[in-house]
Amino acid sequence: MNRTENDLQTTTTGSRAGLTIRRHRLVTRLTHWAWAAALFFLLVSGLQIFNAHPALYVGQQSGFAFDNGVFSIQPIRDRNGEVRGLTTVLGRNFDTTGVLGVSGAEEMRTYSAFPAWLTVPSYQDLATGRVVHFFFAWVFATVYAIWFLASLINGHLRRDILPGWSDIRALPHTLIEHLRFHFDHDGRYNSLQKLTYALVLLLLFPLMILTGLTMSPGMDAALPWLLDLFGGRQTARTIHFVVMLLLVGFFVVHLFMVFAAGPINEMRSMITGRYRLDDRPKGGNA
């Protein structure tokens, strides 16, 4: 067993019964919860900003002179005079009335891309949405810098995140075991966790930060190579949105795994750092 992130705390018997390990360092726990809060407010304020112009494009520019739209959500009036929500993805239309485009009860209809209960503030207010989004964007980026430097120094990045060749080879077996809801291991990150966390922490998080910076005219002036890197501000906005959807998907699966592996033990390990091996229903963690 690894002797750093997973240092043994107590051992009452020679078996696993009563065995507690220190699974997460303080900086790992603090950055985890700071990210959770920042990502929540980034999501709901980002949807508020998206509602101001609910369409995505590829390339440098957008407008009536261009035909580069790839995604949109809008209310439209049909032949019967009824207003319905229409979501368009790569030229294909989907009726999303009640969820996207048009939502809410008949007597309190909301005609916006995302419903009011998903945005901050709940009413249309682009200025406030931008203030909230930019504030938590800097919180998110600062926490990421702290996590990266600390993980580089204390070995968490090399030990628990970066997958090795043995992790690649073990991936098919680990994936099959997870599909069978068999999560048994000794408290260390398994190959599936390493690959997932590496994808999220070393690819999606930096992409979210860099594409966000690319949408800022001030940052484009200071760092013009960002526009070349992402193929224009509109493409950066589309990538930013897609990364948001991937992170929401990761969050849903992450929560599911926490409950599947034992929510009390998982929450305790992420709050106190201590993880009890004998508390697992079948073993495992999220």
Side-chain angles (χ1 to χ4, degrees):
M1 179 176 293
N2 199 303
R3 303 294 296 183
T4 50
E5 191 80 353
N6 300 304
D7 286 346
L8 298 180
Q9 281 292 290
T10 60
T11 305
T12 56
T13 71
S15 68
R16 281 180 167 179
L19 188 64
T20 301
I21 63 172
R22 182 177 292 280
R23 188 172 180 227
H24 300 297
R25 290 174 180 268
L26 179 62
V27 68
T28 302
R29 304 193 313 263
L30 290 177
T31 53
H32 172 273
W33 293 114
W35 275 331
L39 283 171
F40 171 79
F41 284 103
L42 283 171
L43 171 64
V44 293
S45 60
L47 297 183
Q48 165 73 231
I49 296 172
F50 182 84
N51 276 351
H53 185 75
L56 297 172
Y57 311 89
V58 292
Q60 298 282 354
Q61 297 176 294
S62 63
F64 294 112
F66 301 91
D67 183 21
N68 56 349
V70 294
F71 180 79
S72 67
I73 305 173
Q74 58 184 331
I76 63 165
R77 190 174 297 278
D78 63 17
R79 295 178 178 176
N80 300 321
E82 184 180 359
V83 179
R84 307 192 64 81
L86 182 70
T87 297
T88 303
V89 183
L90 299 176
R92 299 193 63 178
N93 296 325
F94 302 90
D95 188 335
T96 52
T97 306
V99 183
L100 303 174
V102 178
S103 57
E106 289 285 347
E107 62 278 8
M108 298 181 62
R109 283 295 201 193
T110 298
Y111 301 100
S112 59
F114 290 99
W117 59 268
L118 261 179
T119 67
V120 166
S122 58
Y123 50 89
Q124 187 61 46
D125 185 348
L126 177 60
T128 301
R130 283 176 176 270
V131 169
V132 174
H133 199 75
F134 293 162
F135 173 78
F136 282 99
W138 284 112
V139 171
F140 179 81
T142 302
V143 171
Y144 183 77
I146 293 172
W147 173 85
F148 188 84
L149 288 175
S151 298
L152 199 61
I153 294 171
N154 64 30
H156 176 52
L157 186 63
R158 170 186 51 78
R159 182 181 59 249
D160 301 317
I161 304 299
L162 292 176
W165 176 238
S166 60
D167 297 307
I168 303 296
R169 286 186 300 178
L171 184 60
H173 173 74
T174 305
L175 186 59
I176 292 173
E177 289 298 294
H178 276 66
L179 291 176
R180 298 170 61 192
F181 291 89
H182 293 168
F183 310 131
D184 192 32
H185 55 77
D186 58 9
R188 290 176 292 184
Y189 292 170
N190 59 50
S191 59
L192 188 58
Q193 287 175 304
K194 283 188 173 183
L195 286 168
T196 303
Y197 292 149
L199 176 67
V200 170
L201 295 167
L202 302 179
L203 178 63
L204 297 186
F205 277 16
L207 261 181
M208 182 64 82
I209 295 170
L210 291 174
T211 52
L213 291 174
T214 305
M215 288 184 282
S216 166
M219 294 306 300
D220 290 344
L223 305 171
W225 54 269
L226 283 173
L227 288 171
D228 297 329
L229 179 64
F230 292 109
R233 192 175 299 164
Q234 294 300 334
T235 305
R237 183 168 179 259
T238 299
I239 296 173
H240 199 72
F241 188 88
V242 171
V243 172
M244 178 274 291
L245 293 179
L246 292 175
L247 288 178
V248 170
F250 165 76
F251 177 73
V252 171
V253 174
H254 184 62
L255 278 185
F256 174 80
M257 293 302 298
V258 166
F259 280 93
I264 296 178
N265 200 24
E266 294 291 333
M267 289 293 289
R268 177 173 54 207
S269 72
M270 192 46 78
I271 293 173
T272 68
R274 296 180 178 179
Y275 182 85
R276 289 181 63 85
L277 294 177
D278 54 326
D279 275 0
R280 296 169 298 164
K282 175 65 180 176
N285 45 40

